[in-house]
Amino acid sequence: MTIYKWIVVTLLTILLSIVVFFAVVVLLDRTEASGR
């Protein structure tokens, strides 16, 4: 059960990192586009 929990936590962390990365990229892109 410990290994299962570790895998779930790792996958959630990776997923969260990807979501945050794309959110930052989109926000920066919108800021740059509106600044032109």
Side-chain angles (χ1 to χ4, degrees):
M1 209 59 174
T2 306
I3 294 173
Y4 174 75
K5 283 184 179 180
W6 186 83
I7 290 172
V8 170
V9 170
T10 303
L11 289 176
L12 287 175
T13 303
I14 292 169
L15 182 64
L16 184 63
S17 299
I18 292 170
V19 169
V20 169
F21 173 77
F22 278 109
V24 169
V25 169
V26 169
L27 287 174
L28 288 176
D29 189 47
R30 285 185 180 176
T31 303
E32 185 179 319
S34 65
R36 291 181 183 171

